[in-house]
Amino acid sequence: MEIKVERNGAVVVVAVTGDVDAATAPRLREQFDDLLGEGQHKFVIELSEVGFMDSSGLATLVQLFKRVRIGHGDVRLSGTQPEVQRIFELTRLHRVFDIFPDRAGAVASFD
Amino acid sequence: MAKVLRDTLVIQSRPGRIADARQWAAQQTRAAGFGEDAVFAVELALGEALANVVEHAYDGDEAQEIRLTLVVDGEKLCLTIRDYGRKFDQASYTPPDLDVPAEGGYGVYLMHELMDEVTYDSSPPEGTRLSLVKYRSGEVHG
């Protein structure tokens, strides 16, 4: 799994590539911890290059969501592939996260 | 009579080996003629099962062994996950409340959603034998 961080004004885009599972989710959590430590609270998680995510990945995103909500921030997702989208639907987390087709739309949604 | 396929894989209880096991199961499921929906289900259900074994049955001890057996016949695919650690307590399991986003607890729920049968056998003296079954008919009837 690879993680790239881009800052677009007040919005931080975390672009993930590869599988997000029990082995890799801890690294994503550490990245989120670092960004939260900087005071970031508007997140776009770009998932177009993620072909597999398990419940460890879901848990990591929900944890981030709950933490940014305390500071009135938000976590928005972009580019979910069909199999990843299905996991969100099975767990009904697609009702919790706003999911956009692409990162530009997700970033613009914070304006 | 349909040909019976059988394969086994033994992995160490490390999170980094879970992806290898998932890929092995996906390849076998695809080779047995199941569609991509079933491949996805087997891959994800196995990943969740193994993550639970690594974290809960073995408490993160990476030196332990997990034995996987996959048997496919004309009717179904059966994937057995055998560990020798702490037994899974079925009585303590409660499904997640899907109206409240949670930071955990989706793994066993997803296994049940994705597979046709999920059976925990705690009768061995040590550990648990978890069986995940997918029927071929599920491909037709969804």
Side-chain angles (χ1 to χ4, degrees):
Chain A
M1 184 188 68
E2 288 182 22
I3 304 169
K4 286 185 183 171
V5 177
E6 295 171 18
R7 289 164 178 81
N8 289 262
V11 180
V12 63
V13 179
V14 179
V16 186
T17 301
D19 293 352
V20 185
D21 64 9
T24 59
R27 275 198 282 133
L28 190 57
R29 189 171 294 128
E30 284 173 16
Q31 182 68 71
F32 290 158
D33 286 345
D34 289 347
L35 291 166
L36 288 164
E38 290 177 14
Q40 301 286 351
H41 62 280
K42 294 179 178 177
F43 286 78
V44 170
I45 315 301
E46 163 63 24
L47 298 172
S48 62
E49 297 298 325
V50 173
F52 181 89
M53 181 182 291
D54 71 4
S55 64
S56 306
L58 295 178
T60 303
L61 292 174
V62 171
Q63 186 183 53
L64 175 67
F65 174 80
K66 288 186 172 180
R67 292 173 73 182
V68 300
R69 280 296 183 136
I70 294 168
H72 305 290
D74 203 2
V75 179
R76 296 174 187 173
L77 311 181
S78 63
T80 49
Q81 297 299 303
E83 291 188 341
V84 173
Q85 179 72 27
R86 194 172 161 209
I87 301 170
F88 279 91
E89 291 173 3
L90 283 168
T91 53
R92 297 195 204 162
L93 290 172
H94 66 301
R95 301 187 309 191
V96 173
F97 294 99
D98 287 329
I99 303 176
F100 294 81
D102 57 61
R103 82 167 76 183
V107 171
S109 73
F110 278 103
D111 292 341
Chain B
M1 189 173 170
K3 187 181 173 188
V4 175
L5 303 175
R6 183 186 175 90
D7 199 8
T8 59
L9 179 71
V10 180
I11 63 168
Q12 274 192 302
S13 53
R14 292 193 286 118
R17 290 302 317 277
I18 294 175
D20 300 336
R22 282 202 320 262
Q23 285 163 15
W24 166 79
Q27 191 176 28
Q28 298 286 343
T29 305
R30 206 172 271 126
F34 284 82
E36 287 306 309
D37 277 359
V39 172
F40 166 76
V42 169
E43 196 176 358
L44 182 54
L46 175 60
E48 299 295 348
L50 291 175
N52 283 343
V53 170
V54 168
E55 184 179 350
H56 300 299
Y58 287 136
D59 277 333
D61 180 353
E62 300 190 349
Q64 300 303 313
E65 190 176 84
I66 308 171
R67 302 181 73 86
L68 308 177
T69 306
L70 188 141
V71 179
V72 187
D73 60 21
E75 183 190 18
K76 65 181 186 293
L77 173 152
C78 181
L79 182 55
T80 304
I81 298 107
R82 179 76 168 94
D83 73 71
Y84 304 89
R86 185 191 303 132
K87 292 179 187 296
F88 177 67
D89 180 9
Q90 291 186 73
S92 69
Y93 171 71
T94 52
D97 177 354
L98 298 181
D99 290 327
V100 181
E103 294 174 38
Y106 292 116
V108 175
Y109 164 78
L110 283 170
M111 276 192 270
H112 283 277
E113 284 294 304
L114 294 163
M115 302 302 287
D116 295 318
E117 293 174 13
V118 177
T119 310
Y120 285 93
D121 177 6
S122 298
S123 65
E126 282 184 299
T128 302
R129 184 185 294 115
L130 168 62
S131 299
L132 304 173
V133 172
K134 194 78 178 168
Y135 284 94
R136 288 189 188 273
S137 57
E139 296 293 296
V140 177
H141 303 297

